[in-house]
Amino acid sequence: ERPLVPRALSMMTGVKSVECGYYTTHVIKTDNTLWSMGWNYHGELGQGSMEPICVATPKKTLSGVAAVSGGYFHTLALKTDGTMVGCGQSYCCELGDGKSVHQVLSWVPAGLTASPILEEGALPFTDVPAGAYYYEPVQWAVDNHITTGTTATTYSPKSPDTRAQRPPYL
């Protein structure tokens, strides 16, 4: 009997990251395109079909991708513009679109967006100056995912709202 000898395989070039789902492999290339391969029984490759076949050759399925994560029945991708898209089977609302027990064969908005990554202590709000008495409570609320502001760059500290809408001590 021949012993097993590991060997390197050269599949793709220009690869930025690789993520493996249950029976899937997703590759993000340096041009931010997503290439997927593996088992497509639930549409989790995002190729527009649910053919229960093994896709042995990587196929481009999406552009503008920053990150991807594959689950057992579904895949979610974070696009470079901060939006999330998903495909595959959603038994318990895994795709984030508010629906369960349905099949998504091509990429659809997942109902989630990413927040901008900020330095610790930095706020994205132009209307919350660093010296304001309410700066730290607003920072606490942002850090604890309690608020995202009224827009991506404003908090509207002088808007008429209730105490329940404000962070503690404000």
Side-chain angles (χ1 to χ4, degrees), residues 13-155:
T13 59
V15 174
K16 181 164 64 171
S17 68
V18 177
E19 198 283 339
C20 297
Y22 192 72
Y23 284 116
T24 59
T25 300
H26 306 281
V27 175
I28 300 174
K29 296 186 82 172
T30 53
D31 64 356
N32 294 324
T33 56
L34 178 66
W35 297 72
S36 301
M37 62 196 128
W39 189 249
N40 191 49
Y41 190 75
H42 302 279
E44 59 267 50
L45 295 182
Q47 298 178 354
S49 73
M50 189 180 70
E51 291 183 57
I53 58 170
C54 180
V55 178
T57 305
K59 293 188 179 176
K60 180 181 167 183
T61 61
L62 197 59
S63 296
V65 178
V68 66
S69 183
Y72 187 84
F73 297 112
H74 67 287
T75 302
L76 290 173
L78 172 63
K79 300 201 67 181
T80 53
D81 66 2
T83 60
M84 294 277 288
V85 292
C87 62
Q89 182 75 41
S90 183
Y91 284 107
C92 299
C93 303
E94 296 98 318
L95 296 178
D97 60 359
K99 300 176 186 174
S100 65
V101 191
H102 74 292
Q103 205 101 20
V104 177
L105 305 179
S106 296
W107 298 99
V108 297
L112 305 169
T113 57
S115 298
I117 298 171
L118 301 170
E119 293 292 323
E120 187 176 348
L123 284 175
F125 311 128
T126 57
D127 57 354
V128 180
Y133 74 93
Y134 49 87
Y135 185 91
E136 287 184 23
V138 172
Q139 180 64 50
W140 177 88
V142 170
D143 289 346
N144 288 283
H145 307 286
I146 293 170
T147 188
T148 56
T150 52
T151 71
T153 59
T154 59
Y155 180 72

